[in-house]
Amino acid sequence: MSTPKIAVVGLPGKWSTEALADALEARTGFRAILDPAHLRVELDGRVIHSDRHDLCKLDGIVIKKVGPQYSPLMLDRLELLQFAEVCGVPVFSRPERIARLVDRLSGTLTLRRGQIPMPPTVITEQVDEAIDVVNQFGSVILKPLYSTKAKGMVVLEAGKLNKKQLMSRLAAYKSQHGILYLQKKLELPGQDMGLVFLGGEYQGAYARVKGEQWHTSTSGGGKYAEAHPTDETIEIARRAQALFGLDFTTVDMAETADGPVCFEVSAFGGFRGALEGLGLNMAEKYADYVLARIDAKRAKNGN
């Protein structure tokens, strides 16, 4: 068989995209990064291009990123990428499965239907009802439906704001985001964890240790470290990621006094936390995983 041509859909110049492209190139000699902003689908001809690449002539596509920030535009690009599957090209992870996690609301509802323990959460469009939730929970995190790395998240504490102030803050947030997604702010042990899964199999866990901000994201000064979750935490994370069927992902978990909770399953998964916290090169492991499945498909088809 000829060497397979496997492209990465991602952001040129960004570390995780380049790391995955490097790993695939080292194994195949072929390198292509497809900018999701350059996708062109010809509906009548049933073809899909990105720059000079005909995606239907590739042996495989790995989706690392479909935009610099979470937004409904990501969903549109994932819809377009499904045309590559129409051509018979395997895509990792499948676009419709990723799409269920781009929108925080969709991901949350799937997790709760799957009986995955999460922080108490209320979703509403009514500001007066949101005020009642803040007073009930005491401290809440307002979360945009499209965001990552704590971007756009706001902490509201009932004891520090009067009703008029709460109403003003919530109304301003609603005018920007539409739906108010309120999650109770839990007391965490100074860190949360990312549990890494490849093909549904647990690979290890890293911690995000809190910096100077209220959250543990590295954008707020958090640091990566090795983590040792309990068997119960690992099993909950395994069940959570299985609801979505991604080829590669990380599950954000925390161990609280009331037991493990899941915050979210990542639409794309992260490489840096595993590398810096565990010394685990998931870009290389993912490349091996993809190549093995494409080789098996080609052998079955006699290519």
Side-chain angles (χ1 to χ4, degrees):
M1 292 187 294
S2 60
T3 303
K5 295 181 178 180
I6 307 169
V8 176
V9 172
L11 306 179
K14 293 297 184 180
W15 181 82
S16 61
T17 297
E18 298 289 344
L20 185 54
D22 288 345
L24 288 167
E25 182 181 20
R27 288 155 175 76
T28 66
F30 178 81
R31 181 187 185 88
I33 294 176
L34 310 179
D35 189 329
H38 295 176
L39 290 171
R40 185 180 89 251
V41 172
E42 300 174 12
L43 297 179
D44 292 338
R46 293 168 67 91
V47 295
I48 177 170
H49 291 260
S50 179
D51 295 321
R52 67 182 187 280
H53 297 285
D54 182 345
L55 275 64
C56 290
K57 293 182 179 179
L58 296 170
D59 296 296
I61 296 169
V62 189
I63 300 175
K64 190 64 194 78
K65 296 288 184 184
V66 289
Q69 57 190 12
Y70 279 47
S71 71
L73 178 59
M74 278 191 171
L75 298 176
D76 296 331
R77 290 173 175 173
L78 289 166
E79 288 283 350
L80 294 179
L81 285 167
Q82 291 189 54
F83 263 76
E85 293 184 304
V86 171
C87 298
V89 179
V91 182
F92 306 85
S93 295
R94 296 188 65 182
E96 72 272 17
R97 295 180 180 181
I98 295 175
R100 295 169 65 200
L101 285 162
V102 169
D103 178 348
R104 188 184 308 279
L105 182 57
S106 173
T108 296
L109 294 177
T110 300
L111 289 169
R112 291 304 296 130
R113 283 195 295 266
Q115 300 184 0
I116 302 300
M118 299 183 72
T121 303
V122 174
I123 301 102
T124 181
E125 293 186 49
Q126 304 304 311
V127 170
D128 56 345
E129 292 179 3
I131 291 173
D132 292 339
V133 173
V134 175
N135 289 325
Q136 176 189 347
F137 289 166
S139 181
V140 306
I141 304 171
L142 272 174
K143 296 185 175 184
L145 297 188
Y146 298 94
S147 76
T148 184
K149 298 184 183 298
K151 292 178 181 177
M153 296 185 187
V154 175
V155 175
L156 297 178
E157 297 186 33
K160 294 184 178 181
L161 299 169
N162 59 38
K163 184 175 181 178
K164 184 177 180 180
Q165 291 170 324
L166 272 177
M167 183 175 293
S168 176
R169 296 282 295 277
L170 287 164
Y173 203 87
K174 181 181 185 300
S175 68
Q176 182 179 0
H177 298 285
I179 289 181
L180 298 170
Y181 179 111
L182 304 102
Q183 195 164 79
K184 184 175 182 179
K185 187 174 183 291
L186 302 181
E187 292 295 327
L188 302 181
Q191 67 175 40
D192 60 12
M193 295 176 287
L195 279 69
V196 184
F197 290 84
L198 181 63
E201 297 298 321
Y202 176 62
Q203 305 295 306
Y206 58 88
R208 286 177 294 257
V209 182
K210 184 179 177 181
E212 296 180 356
Q213 301 294 322
W214 62 266
H215 53 80
T216 61
S217 174
T218 55
S219 63
K223 303 295 182 184
Y224 293 121
E226 188 173 357
H228 303 281
T230 65
D231 290 344
E232 181 185 12
T233 298
I234 295 171
E235 180 55 29
I236 291 172
R238 189 189 310 278
R239 287 170 43 214
Q241 61 85 35
L243 294 170
F244 301 95
L246 301 183
D247 291 293
F248 171 69
T249 189
T250 53
V251 183
D252 289 350
M253 300 285 300
E255 293 176 345
T256 75
D258 296 322
V261 294
C262 175
F263 293 111
E264 65 180 11
V265 176
S266 172
F268 304 101
F271 293 155
R272 194 178 293 275
L275 185 62
E276 295 185 9
L278 288 170
L280 190 61
N281 192 323
M282 287 308 303
E284 292 189 351
K285 294 195 71 171
Y286 196 10
D288 289 336
Y289 168 92
V290 168
L291 191 58
R293 279 148 186 78
I294 289 175
D295 283 346
K297 178 179 183 291
R298 297 173 80 206
K300 182 178 179 180
N301 295 336
N303 295 335

